[in-house]
Amino acid sequence: MSIKCDVLVIGGGPAGCSVARAAAKKGLKTILIEEDEEIGSPIQCAEGIGSYLFSLMPFKIPKKQLKWKIDGMYFWANDIAIKKEGGIWSGYSIDRKDWDKWLASMAIKQGVKLFTGTRLLSLKFGNKFEVTSAITTKSGKKIVFEPKYVIGADGVDSTVLNLLDVRKTDSTGHVKSYEMKNLKLEYPRCDQLFFGEFAPRAYAYIFPLSETTANVGVGTVDDDANLDDFFDRFVNIPSVKKQISKGKVVSEKSGDAPIRELSNKIVYGNIFLVGDAANQNIKPFIEGNIPGVICGDILGNFIYDLARGKDTPERYEEIINNKFSLIKDSQIYADIVYGETNIERRLFNLLLLGLMSDIIPPEEDIDRYVEEGYDFLRDHIIKNGGFVEKRI
Ligand SMILES: Cc1cc2nc3c(=O)[nH]c(=O)nc-3n(C[C@H](O)[C@H](O)[C@H](O)COP(=O)(O)OP(=O)(O)OC[C@H]3O[C@@H](n4cnc5c(N)ncnc54)[C@H](O)[C@@H]3O)c2cc1C
């Protein structure tokens, strides 16, 4: 059996649902395949979204998707903390299962045909990178699609990237994360970020979902890291232990996230990458839920223009950069926060705190702070709103 379509979207996450919705809305025959049986499951996310991105969304987020109000962010390193509230620091916690299902339902409403439990296995190419057919499997049966355009919205572990054989190394971070209940959260209305040897060249977090529940996780870019060990170390630092010592794991939400480009390009022939597969998240926090939706919408509309001969594939990246420059602009953080460094660990923790809390602009000469030394940086952070965390 072979099914012809205009657009075949691989992956039913935020980016895939959004691109499928936008393409179908323009009248393109669009098929969305998702390997999992259920959209939105399993969850691999800390489920935070920033309100500053709401105005860039292609459609309004219904109130019922906004599960828990977040007033600000709390940052901690060594013995120093800082709290930032309002504006760009505020947002919500969502339920990714509901969120992804909502996005998929909007795609279906526009006429998208959704195949769940359907996994992309291989691609057949005509000329270099021009896909002629996509071979998938559903319940052991083969389904072949013949699309005009293929969208790789299949996340950080993208099969599309693997089949193209263009994947770069050293591009992903790894996160161990659990939803926990019975917590005694110190700041239930703040997302908490922690920098230390429990999350080398990354960060650990507590993202509240309610007064007593939260996603708790540790990240690192080290491919050989023992994440269980890091998680143990993190939950045993006094300021965290105090909050979660009676905590119980509800579910695991671990996963990988792109820290820099996974491939040199985001267009190969008639294949277009979007969302995590295209490293379309905002650094330094690696925020991809809303960016995936925004980029998906831009791509869906762009494919419509291509189909009418009104644009050329090479312009995709330029169009994303023009319409949603935040992604490209934020990449400056990637190498500073997630790159190799010789800076002494305690000083580096404090530098991360300064960078992530916007006390130190990423364009600034970081070496200056290293040269001036630890006490100088600590004073600088305290002068800019930081405080000594008495609980340690
Ligand atoms: C632990 C963790 C915490 C995070 N926390 C946050 C956060 O708090 N806020 C935030 O904004 N971002 C967060 N992110 C990032 C965010 O989750 C991603 O950026 C976002 O999910 C990207 O959406 P996507 O649609 O590109 O990919 P995904 O959501 O990964 O969706 C890809 C889909 O493709 C499917 N798929 C894969 N291969 C195939 C195949 N061969 N055939 C068919 N289907 C396939 C997968 O099953 C999946 O459903 C976090 C990431 C991780 C790992």
Side-chain angles (χ1 to χ4, degrees), residues 171-176 196-205 217-228 230-231 255-259 286 337-338 345:
S171 300
T172 55
H174 317 286
V175 188
K176 192 84 175 175
E197 86 310 324
F198 41 80
R201 279 160 61 213
Y203 62 87
Y205 59 81
V218 291
T220 181
V221 292
D222 181 354
D223 291 337
D224 304 317
N226 181 341
L227 280 166
D228 291 319
F230 288 143
F231 193 86
D256 285 355
I259 47 166
I286 316 204
V337 176
Y338 301 104
R345 188 70 230 184

PDB file of all heavy atoms in Angstrom, residues 171-176 196-205 217-228 230-231 255-259 286 337-338 345:
ATOM      1  N   SER A 171      26.559  17.365  20.331  1.00  0.00           N
ATOM      2  CA  SER A 171      25.503  18.361  20.152  1.00  0.00           C
ATOM      3  C   SER A 171      24.359  18.235  21.154  1.00  0.00           C
ATOM      4  O   SER A 171      23.432  19.035  21.113  1.00  0.00           O
ATOM      5  CB  SER A 171      24.908  18.231  18.746  1.00  0.00           C
ATOM      6  OG  SER A 171      25.887  18.445  17.789  1.00  0.00           O
ATOM      7  N   THR A 172      24.424  17.218  21.996  1.00  0.00           N
ATOM      8  CA  THR A 172      23.270  17.030  22.894  1.00  0.00           C
ATOM      9  C   THR A 172      23.675  17.035  24.363  1.00  0.00           C
ATOM     10  O   THR A 172      24.800  16.693  24.720  1.00  0.00           O
ATOM     11  CB  THR A 172      22.549  15.691  22.601  1.00  0.00           C
ATOM     12  OG1 THR A 172      23.504  14.641  22.677  1.00  0.00           O
ATOM     13  CG2 THR A 172      21.886  15.693  21.258  1.00  0.00           C
ATOM     14  N   GLY A 173      22.714  17.426  25.190  1.00  0.00           N
ATOM     15  CA  GLY A 173      22.849  17.326  26.636  1.00  0.00           C
ATOM     16  C   GLY A 173      21.921  16.221  27.119  1.00  0.00           C
ATOM     17  O   GLY A 173      20.987  15.822  26.410  1.00  0.00           O
ATOM     18  N   HIS A 174      22.205  15.738  28.321  1.00  0.00           N
ATOM     19  CA  HIS A 174      21.442  14.601  28.851  1.00  0.00           C
ATOM     20  C   HIS A 174      20.833  15.006  30.187  1.00  0.00           C
ATOM     21  O   HIS A 174      21.509  15.625  31.018  1.00  0.00           O
ATOM     22  CB  HIS A 174      22.350  13.396  29.028  1.00  0.00           C
ATOM     23  CG  HIS A 174      23.281  13.213  27.860  1.00  0.00           C
ATOM     24  ND1 HIS A 174      22.850  12.744  26.645  1.00  0.00           N
ATOM     25  CD2 HIS A 174      24.604  13.512  27.702  1.00  0.00           C
ATOM     26  CE1 HIS A 174      23.861  12.741  25.790  1.00  0.00           C
ATOM     27  NE2 HIS A 174      24.947  13.203  26.412  1.00  0.00           N
ATOM     28  N   VAL A 175      19.577  14.640  30.380  1.00  0.00           N
ATOM     29  CA  VAL A 175      18.870  15.074  31.590  1.00  0.00           C
ATOM     30  C   VAL A 175      18.185  13.894  32.260  1.00  0.00           C
ATOM     31  O   VAL A 175      17.510  13.100  31.600  1.00  0.00           O
ATOM     32  CB  VAL A 175      17.780  16.133  31.243  1.00  0.00           C
ATOM     33  CG1 VAL A 175      17.201  16.726  32.516  1.00  0.00           C
ATOM     34  CG2 VAL A 175      18.325  17.220  30.342  1.00  0.00           C
ATOM     35  N   LYS A 176      18.398  13.789  33.580  1.00  0.00           N
ATOM     36  CA  LYS A 176      17.657  12.817  34.397  1.00  0.00           C
ATOM     37  C   LYS A 176      16.619  13.619  35.145  1.00  0.00           C
ATOM     38  O   LYS A 176      16.952  14.569  35.855  1.00  0.00           O
ATOM     39  CB  LYS A 176      18.636  12.176  35.397  1.00  0.00           C
ATOM     40  CG  LYS A 176      18.078  10.973  36.086  1.00  0.00           C
ATOM     41  CD  LYS A 176      18.281   9.808  35.188  1.00  0.00           C
ATOM     42  CE  LYS A 176      17.904   8.493  35.715  1.00  0.00           C
ATOM     43  NZ  LYS A 176      18.025   7.441  34.711  1.00  0.00           N
ATOM     44  N   GLY A 196      26.393  23.435  40.003  1.00  0.00           N
ATOM     45  CA  GLY A 196      27.356  22.796  40.893  1.00  0.00           C
ATOM     46  C   GLY A 196      27.915  21.535  40.274  1.00  0.00           C
ATOM     47  O   GLY A 196      27.583  21.191  39.132  1.00  0.00           O
ATOM     48  N   GLU A 197      28.736  20.835  41.041  1.00  0.00           N
ATOM     49  CA  GLU A 197      29.415  19.654  40.473  1.00  0.00           C
ATOM     50  C   GLU A 197      28.439  18.495  40.249  1.00  0.00           C
ATOM     51  O   GLU A 197      28.764  17.516  39.580  1.00  0.00           O
ATOM     52  CB  GLU A 197      30.646  19.293  41.305  1.00  0.00           C
ATOM     53  CG  GLU A 197      30.542  18.416  42.522  1.00  0.00           C
ATOM     54  CD  GLU A 197      29.480  18.793  43.534  1.00  0.00           C
ATOM     55  OE1 GLU A 197      29.202  19.995  43.765  1.00  0.00           O
ATOM     56  OE2 GLU A 197      28.917  17.859  44.103  1.00  0.00           O
ATOM     57  N   PHE A 198      27.193  18.640  40.722  1.00  0.00           N
ATOM     58  CA  PHE A 198      26.158  17.626  40.475  1.00  0.00           C
ATOM     59  C   PHE A 198      25.560  17.767  39.066  1.00  0.00           C
ATOM     60  O   PHE A 198      24.770  16.917  38.646  1.00  0.00           O
ATOM     61  CB  PHE A 198      25.028  17.752  41.512  1.00  0.00           C
ATOM     62  CG  PHE A 198      24.671  19.192  41.793  1.00  0.00           C
ATOM     63  CD1 PHE A 198      23.867  19.906  40.934  1.00  0.00           C
ATOM     64  CD2 PHE A 198      25.221  19.835  42.893  1.00  0.00           C
ATOM     65  CE1 PHE A 198      23.571  21.230  41.162  1.00  0.00           C
ATOM     66  CE2 PHE A 198      24.932  21.181  43.127  1.00  0.00           C
ATOM     67  CZ  PHE A 198      24.110  21.883  42.271  1.00  0.00           C
ATOM     68  N   ALA A 199      25.893  18.844  38.365  1.00  0.00           N
ATOM     69  CA  ALA A 199      25.383  19.044  36.996  1.00  0.00           C
ATOM     70  C   ALA A 199      26.464  19.733  36.177  1.00  0.00           C
ATOM     71  O   ALA A 199      26.325  20.873  35.753  1.00  0.00           O
ATOM     72  CB  ALA A 199      24.110  19.889  37.000  1.00  0.00           C
ATOM     73  N   PRO A 200      27.602  19.030  35.933  1.00  0.00           N
ATOM     74  CA  PRO A 200      28.739  19.690  35.296  1.00  0.00           C
ATOM     75  C   PRO A 200      28.415  20.214  33.902  1.00  0.00           C
ATOM     76  O   PRO A 200      27.864  19.504  33.074  1.00  0.00           O
ATOM     77  CB  PRO A 200      29.804  18.592  35.227  1.00  0.00           C
ATOM     78  CG  PRO A 200      29.114  17.323  35.537  1.00  0.00           C
ATOM     79  CD  PRO A 200      27.837  17.624  36.223  1.00  0.00           C
ATOM     80  N   ARG A 201      28.790  21.486  33.653  1.00  0.00           N
ATOM     81  CA  ARG A 201      28.544  22.176  32.378  1.00  0.00           C
ATOM     82  C   ARG A 201      27.070  22.094  31.979  1.00  0.00           C
ATOM     83  O   ARG A 201      26.722  21.849  30.839  1.00  0.00           O
ATOM     84  CB  ARG A 201      29.435  21.597  31.286  1.00  0.00           C
ATOM     85  CG  ARG A 201      30.849  22.177  31.355  1.00  0.00           C
ATOM     86  CD  ARG A 201      31.848  21.324  30.642  1.00  0.00           C
ATOM     87  NE  ARG A 201      31.526  21.210  29.226  1.00  0.00           N
ATOM     88  CZ  ARG A 201      31.786  20.125  28.517  1.00  0.00           C
ATOM     89  NH1 ARG A 201      32.338  19.079  29.080  1.00  0.00           N
ATOM     90  NH2 ARG A 201      31.504  20.094  27.247  1.00  0.00           N
ATOM     91  N   ALA A 202      26.207  22.348  32.936  1.00  0.00           N
ATOM     92  CA  ALA A 202      24.763  22.408  32.692  1.00  0.00           C
ATOM     93  C   ALA A 202      24.133  22.887  33.999  1.00  0.00           C
ATOM     94  O   ALA A 202      24.771  23.637  34.742  1.00  0.00           O
ATOM     95  CB  ALA A 202      24.208  21.058  32.279  1.00  0.00           C
ATOM     96  N   TYR A 203      22.909  22.464  34.275  1.00  0.00           N
ATOM     97  CA  TYR A 203      22.281  22.879  35.529  1.00  0.00           C
ATOM     98  C   TYR A 203      21.311  21.820  36.032  1.00  0.00           C
ATOM     99  O   TYR A 203      20.930  20.901  35.297  1.00  0.00           O
ATOM    100  CB  TYR A 203      21.561  24.224  35.368  1.00  0.00           C
ATOM    101  CG  TYR A 203      20.421  24.248  34.359  1.00  0.00           C
ATOM    102  CD1 TYR A 203      19.120  23.899  34.725  1.00  0.00           C
ATOM    103  CD2 TYR A 203      20.640  24.651  33.042  1.00  0.00           C
ATOM    104  CE1 TYR A 203      18.076  23.937  33.810  1.00  0.00           C
ATOM    105  CE2 TYR A 203      19.596  24.690  32.114  1.00  0.00           C
ATOM    106  CZ  TYR A 203      18.322  24.334  32.507  1.00  0.00           C
ATOM    107  OH  TYR A 203      17.299  24.364  31.598  1.00  0.00           O
ATOM    108  N   ALA A 204      20.965  21.950  37.315  1.00  0.00           N
ATOM    109  CA  ALA A 204      19.938  21.083  37.899  1.00  0.00           C
ATOM    110  C   ALA A 204      18.738  21.966  38.217  1.00  0.00           C
ATOM    111  O   ALA A 204      18.875  23.189  38.299  1.00  0.00           O
ATOM    112  CB  ALA A 204      20.473  20.419  39.157  1.00  0.00           C
ATOM    113  N   TYR A 205      17.565  21.366  38.384  1.00  0.00           N
ATOM    114  CA  TYR A 205      16.384  22.213  38.552  1.00  0.00           C
ATOM    115  C   TYR A 205      15.293  21.591  39.414  1.00  0.00           C
ATOM    116  O   TYR A 205      15.209  20.373  39.564  1.00  0.00           O
ATOM    117  CB  TYR A 205      15.796  22.572  37.182  1.00  0.00           C
ATOM    118  CG  TYR A 205      15.376  21.380  36.327  1.00  0.00           C
ATOM    119  CD1 TYR A 205      14.160  20.745  36.528  1.00  0.00           C
ATOM    120  CD2 TYR A 205      16.200  20.907  35.314  1.00  0.00           C
ATOM    121  CE1 TYR A 205      13.770  19.665  35.737  1.00  0.00           C
ATOM    122  CE2 TYR A 205      15.832  19.825  34.518  1.00  0.00           C
ATOM    123  CZ  TYR A 205      14.608  19.208  34.738  1.00  0.00           C
ATOM    124  OH  TYR A 205      14.248  18.142  33.958  1.00  0.00           O
ATOM    125  N   GLY A 217      15.279  17.690  38.278  1.00  0.00           N
ATOM    126  CA  GLY A 217      16.189  17.066  37.324  1.00  0.00           C
ATOM    127  C   GLY A 217      17.614  17.577  37.389  1.00  0.00           C
ATOM    128  O   GLY A 217      17.886  18.639  37.960  1.00  0.00           O
ATOM    129  N   VAL A 218      18.521  16.791  36.797  1.00  0.00           N
ATOM    130  CA  VAL A 218      19.918  17.213  36.633  1.00  0.00           C
ATOM    131  C   VAL A 218      20.315  17.016  35.176  1.00  0.00           C
ATOM    132  O   VAL A 218      19.882  16.059  34.543  1.00  0.00           O
ATOM    133  CB  VAL A 218      20.917  16.405  37.505  1.00  0.00           C
ATOM    134  CG1 VAL A 218      20.752  16.705  38.975  1.00  0.00           C
ATOM    135  CG2 VAL A 218      20.820  14.912  37.244  1.00  0.00           C
ATOM    136  N   GLY A 219      21.147  17.943  34.685  1.00  0.00           N
ATOM    137  CA  GLY A 219      21.596  17.826  33.297  1.00  0.00           C
ATOM    138  C   GLY A 219      23.100  17.865  33.206  1.00  0.00           C
ATOM    139  O   GLY A 219      23.778  18.334  34.124  1.00  0.00           O
ATOM    140  N   THR A 220      23.628  17.344  32.108  1.00  0.00           N
ATOM    141  CA  THR A 220      25.057  17.464  31.824  1.00  0.00           C
ATOM    142  C   THR A 220      25.283  17.261  30.327  1.00  0.00           C
ATOM    143  O   THR A 220      24.434  16.661  29.659  1.00  0.00           O
ATOM    144  CB  THR A 220      25.894  16.438  32.609  1.00  0.00           C
ATOM    145  OG1 THR A 220      27.275  16.638  32.279  1.00  0.00           O
ATOM    146  CG2 THR A 220      25.531  15.003  32.270  1.00  0.00           C
ATOM    147  N   VAL A 221      26.426  17.770  29.833  1.00  0.00           N
ATOM    148  CA  VAL A 221      26.756  17.516  28.431  1.00  0.00           C
ATOM    149  C   VAL A 221      27.743  16.351  28.311  1.00  0.00           C
ATOM    150  O   VAL A 221      28.088  15.948  27.206  1.00  0.00           O
ATOM    151  CB  VAL A 221      27.363  18.759  27.746  1.00  0.00           C
ATOM    152  CG1 VAL A 221      26.311  19.841  27.618  1.00  0.00           C
ATOM    153  CG2 VAL A 221      28.568  19.283  28.496  1.00  0.00           C
ATOM    154  N   ASP A 222      28.138  15.818  29.457  1.00  0.00           N
ATOM    155  CA  ASP A 222      29.100  14.719  29.474  1.00  0.00           C
ATOM    156  C   ASP A 222      28.406  13.420  29.037  1.00  0.00           C
ATOM    157  O   ASP A 222      27.517  12.913  29.726  1.00  0.00           O
ATOM    158  CB  ASP A 222      29.653  14.605  30.910  1.00  0.00           C
ATOM    159  CG  ASP A 222      30.689  13.517  31.040  1.00  0.00           C
ATOM    160  OD1 ASP A 222      30.889  12.782  30.049  1.00  0.00           O
ATOM    161  OD2 ASP A 222      31.292  13.403  32.127  1.00  0.00           O
ATOM    162  N   ASP A 223      28.828  12.867  27.888  1.00  0.00           N
ATOM    163  CA  ASP A 223      28.159  11.674  27.345  1.00  0.00           C
ATOM    164  C   ASP A 223      28.345  10.439  28.222  1.00  0.00           C
ATOM    165  O   ASP A 223      27.529   9.521  28.175  1.00  0.00           O
ATOM    166  CB  ASP A 223      28.709  11.350  25.938  1.00  0.00           C
ATOM    167  CG  ASP A 223      28.282  12.402  24.932  1.00  0.00           C
ATOM    168  OD1 ASP A 223      27.268  13.079  25.183  1.00  0.00           O
ATOM    169  OD2 ASP A 223      28.974  12.557  23.902  1.00  0.00           O
ATOM    170  N   ASP A 224      29.433  10.408  29.003  1.00  0.00           N
ATOM    171  CA  ASP A 224      29.701   9.212  29.810  1.00  0.00           C
ATOM    172  C   ASP A 224      29.266   9.376  31.259  1.00  0.00           C
ATOM    173  O   ASP A 224      29.603   8.562  32.116  1.00  0.00           O
ATOM    174  CB  ASP A 224      31.210   8.882  29.789  1.00  0.00           C
ATOM    175  CG  ASP A 224      31.699   8.727  28.367  1.00  0.00           C
ATOM    176  OD1 ASP A 224      30.977   8.085  27.590  1.00  0.00           O
ATOM    177  OD2 ASP A 224      32.767   9.273  28.037  1.00  0.00           O
ATOM    178  N   ALA A 225      28.538  10.447  31.535  1.00  0.00           N
ATOM    179  CA  ALA A 225      28.197  10.742  32.932  1.00  0.00           C
ATOM    180  C   ALA A 225      27.253   9.699  33.515  1.00  0.00           C
ATOM    181  O   ALA A 225      26.426   9.130  32.807  1.00  0.00           O
ATOM    182  CB  ALA A 225      27.524  12.107  32.998  1.00  0.00           C
ATOM    183  N   ASN A 226      27.404   9.493  34.820  1.00  0.00           N
ATOM    184  CA  ASN A 226      26.459   8.639  35.534  1.00  0.00           C
ATOM    185  C   ASN A 226      25.380   9.559  36.119  1.00  0.00           C
ATOM    186  O   ASN A 226      25.545  10.140  37.184  1.00  0.00           O
ATOM    187  CB  ASN A 226      27.206   7.881  36.634  1.00  0.00           C
ATOM    188  CG  ASN A 226      26.279   6.959  37.390  1.00  0.00           C
ATOM    189  OD1 ASN A 226      25.049   7.126  37.356  1.00  0.00           O
ATOM    190  ND2 ASN A 226      26.856   5.988  38.074  1.00  0.00           N
ATOM    191  N   LEU A 227      24.293   9.694  35.390  1.00  0.00           N
ATOM    192  CA  LEU A 227      23.262  10.671  35.765  1.00  0.00           C
ATOM    193  C   LEU A 227      22.576  10.309  37.084  1.00  0.00           C
ATOM    194  O   LEU A 227      22.135  11.181  37.822  1.00  0.00           O
ATOM    195  CB  LEU A 227      22.230  10.797  34.646  1.00  0.00           C
ATOM    196  CG  LEU A 227      22.657  11.678  33.469  1.00  0.00           C
ATOM    197  CD1 LEU A 227      21.753  11.469  32.279  1.00  0.00           C
ATOM    198  CD2 LEU A 227      22.663  13.148  33.848  1.00  0.00           C
ATOM    199  N   ASP A 228      22.490   9.014  37.374  1.00  0.00           N
ATOM    200  CA  ASP A 228      21.878   8.599  38.654  1.00  0.00           C
ATOM    201  C   ASP A 228      22.711   9.128  39.815  1.00  0.00           C
ATOM    202  O   ASP A 228      22.186   9.588  40.825  1.00  0.00           O
ATOM    203  CB  ASP A 228      21.789   7.073  38.746  1.00  0.00           C
ATOM    204  CG  ASP A 228      20.783   6.528  37.762  1.00  0.00           C
ATOM    205  OD1 ASP A 228      19.713   7.155  37.627  1.00  0.00           O
ATOM    206  OD2 ASP A 228      21.077   5.512  37.107  1.00  0.00           O
ATOM    207  N   PHE A 230      24.708  11.767  39.709  1.00  0.00           N
ATOM    208  CA  PHE A 230      24.517  13.221  39.782  1.00  0.00           C
ATOM    209  C   PHE A 230      23.201  13.567  40.466  1.00  0.00           C
ATOM    210  O   PHE A 230      23.125  14.484  41.275  1.00  0.00           O
ATOM    211  CB  PHE A 230      24.544  13.861  38.383  1.00  0.00           C
ATOM    212  CG  PHE A 230      25.918  13.903  37.766  1.00  0.00           C
ATOM    213  CD1 PHE A 230      26.104  13.699  36.408  1.00  0.00           C
ATOM    214  CD2 PHE A 230      27.038  14.174  38.537  1.00  0.00           C
ATOM    215  CE1 PHE A 230      27.363  13.741  35.840  1.00  0.00           C
ATOM    216  CE2 PHE A 230      28.301  14.226  37.984  1.00  0.00           C
ATOM    217  CZ  PHE A 230      28.466  14.004  36.627  1.00  0.00           C
ATOM    218  N   PHE A 231      22.173  12.811  40.116  1.00  0.00           N
ATOM    219  CA  PHE A 231      20.856  13.089  40.701  1.00  0.00           C
ATOM    220  C   PHE A 231      20.915  12.896  42.221  1.00  0.00           C
ATOM    221  O   PHE A 231      20.424  13.733  42.986  1.00  0.00           O
ATOM    222  CB  PHE A 231      19.785  12.171  40.080  1.00  0.00           C
ATOM    223  CG  PHE A 231      18.393  12.605  40.410  1.00  0.00           C
ATOM    224  CD1 PHE A 231      17.744  13.549  39.631  1.00  0.00           C
ATOM    225  CD2 PHE A 231      17.726  12.104  41.515  1.00  0.00           C
ATOM    226  CE1 PHE A 231      16.457  13.981  39.939  1.00  0.00           C
ATOM    227  CE2 PHE A 231      16.446  12.522  41.832  1.00  0.00           C
ATOM    228  CZ  PHE A 231      15.807  13.464  41.045  1.00  0.00           C
ATOM    229  N   GLY A 255      15.392  12.746  29.438  1.00  0.00           N
ATOM    230  CA  GLY A 255      15.574  12.777  27.976  1.00  0.00           C
ATOM    231  C   GLY A 255      16.810  13.558  27.597  1.00  0.00           C
ATOM    232  O   GLY A 255      17.528  14.060  28.458  1.00  0.00           O
ATOM    233  N   ASP A 256      17.043  13.654  26.294  1.00  0.00           N
ATOM    234  CA  ASP A 256      18.167  14.433  25.768  1.00  0.00           C
ATOM    235  C   ASP A 256      17.650  15.731  25.172  1.00  0.00           C
ATOM    236  O   ASP A 256      16.476  15.832  24.814  1.00  0.00           O
ATOM    237  CB  ASP A 256      18.906  13.645  24.685  1.00  0.00           C
ATOM    238  CG  ASP A 256      19.757  12.536  25.293  1.00  0.00           C
ATOM    239  OD1 ASP A 256      19.841  12.462  26.534  1.00  0.00           O
ATOM    240  OD2 ASP A 256      20.322  11.746  24.522  1.00  0.00           O
ATOM    241  N   ALA A 257      18.533  16.713  25.053  1.00  0.00           N
ATOM    242  CA  ALA A 257      18.140  18.000  24.471  1.00  0.00           C
ATOM    243  C   ALA A 257      19.286  18.532  23.626  1.00  0.00           C
ATOM    244  O   ALA A 257      20.464  18.347  23.984  1.00  0.00           O
ATOM    245  CB  ALA A 257      17.806  18.988  25.584  1.00  0.00           C
ATOM    246  N   PRO A 258      18.985  19.207  22.496  1.00  0.00           N
ATOM    247  CA  PRO A 258      20.068  19.741  21.666  1.00  0.00           C
ATOM    248  C   PRO A 258      20.692  20.983  22.310  1.00  0.00           C
ATOM    249  O   PRO A 258      19.971  21.892  22.716  1.00  0.00           O
ATOM    250  CB  PRO A 258      19.376  20.143  20.352  1.00  0.00           C
ATOM    251  CG  PRO A 258      17.928  19.901  20.544  1.00  0.00           C
ATOM    252  CD  PRO A 258      17.667  19.535  21.961  1.00  0.00           C
ATOM    253  N   ILE A 259      22.005  21.007  22.386  1.00  0.00           N
ATOM    254  CA  ILE A 259      22.663  22.212  22.891  1.00  0.00           C
ATOM    255  C   ILE A 259      23.262  23.031  21.745  1.00  0.00           C
ATOM    256  O   ILE A 259      23.527  24.206  21.895  1.00  0.00           O
ATOM    257  CB  ILE A 259      23.751  21.890  23.942  1.00  0.00           C
ATOM    258  CG1 ILE A 259      24.652  20.761  23.459  1.00  0.00           C
ATOM    259  CG2 ILE A 259      23.128  21.583  25.284  1.00  0.00           C
ATOM    260  CD1 ILE A 259      25.907  20.622  24.267  1.00  0.00           C
ATOM    261  N   ILE A 286      17.484  26.075  27.164  1.00  0.00           N
ATOM    262  CA  ILE A 286      17.069  25.024  26.225  1.00  0.00           C
ATOM    263  C   ILE A 286      15.554  24.882  26.267  1.00  0.00           C
ATOM    264  O   ILE A 286      15.000  23.822  26.532  1.00  0.00           O
ATOM    265  CB  ILE A 286      17.814  23.698  26.471  1.00  0.00           C
ATOM    266  CG1 ILE A 286      19.300  23.984  26.687  1.00  0.00           C
ATOM    267  CG2 ILE A 286      17.578  22.736  25.321  1.00  0.00           C
ATOM    268  CD1 ILE A 286      20.242  22.869  26.402  1.00  0.00           C
ATOM    269  N   VAL A 337      28.029  28.322  28.231  1.00  0.00           N
ATOM    270  CA  VAL A 337      27.418  27.533  29.309  1.00  0.00           C
ATOM    271  C   VAL A 337      27.735  26.048  29.168  1.00  0.00           C
ATOM    272  O   VAL A 337      28.046  25.372  30.141  1.00  0.00           O
ATOM    273  CB  VAL A 337      25.881  27.755  29.336  1.00  0.00           C
ATOM    274  CG1 VAL A 337      25.227  26.874  30.392  1.00  0.00           C
ATOM    275  CG2 VAL A 337      25.569  29.228  29.606  1.00  0.00           C
ATOM    276  N   TYR A 338      27.645  25.543  27.932  1.00  0.00           N
ATOM    277  CA  TYR A 338      27.750  24.088  27.741  1.00  0.00           C
ATOM    278  C   TYR A 338      29.083  23.650  27.123  1.00  0.00           C
ATOM    279  O   TYR A 338      29.279  22.467  26.863  1.00  0.00           O
ATOM    280  CB  TYR A 338      26.584  23.601  26.867  1.00  0.00           C
ATOM    281  CG  TYR A 338      25.237  23.926  27.493  1.00  0.00           C
ATOM    282  CD1 TYR A 338      24.447  24.965  27.027  1.00  0.00           C
ATOM    283  CD2 TYR A 338      24.773  23.205  28.591  1.00  0.00           C
ATOM    284  CE1 TYR A 338      23.228  25.278  27.618  1.00  0.00           C
ATOM    285  CE2 TYR A 338      23.565  23.514  29.188  1.00  0.00           C
ATOM    286  CZ  TYR A 338      22.802  24.549  28.695  1.00  0.00           C
ATOM    287  OH  TYR A 338      21.602  24.853  29.292  1.00  0.00           O
ATOM    288  N   ARG A 345      36.042  25.354  39.111  1.00  0.00           N
ATOM    289  CA  ARG A 345      34.634  24.973  39.199  1.00  0.00           C
ATOM    290  C   ARG A 345      33.749  25.948  39.992  1.00  0.00           C
ATOM    291  O   ARG A 345      32.676  26.349  39.551  1.00  0.00           O
ATOM    292  CB  ARG A 345      34.548  23.561  39.806  1.00  0.00           C
ATOM    293  CG  ARG A 345      33.171  22.950  39.785  1.00  0.00           C
ATOM    294  CD  ARG A 345      32.716  22.583  38.390  1.00  0.00           C
ATOM    295  NE  ARG A 345      31.383  23.105  38.134  1.00  0.00           N
ATOM    296  CZ  ARG A 345      30.676  22.888  37.031  1.00  0.00           C
ATOM    297  NH1 ARG A 345      31.182  22.183  36.062  1.00  0.00           N
ATOM    298  NH2 ARG A 345      29.473  23.381  36.884  1.00  0.00           N
TER     299      ARG A 345
END
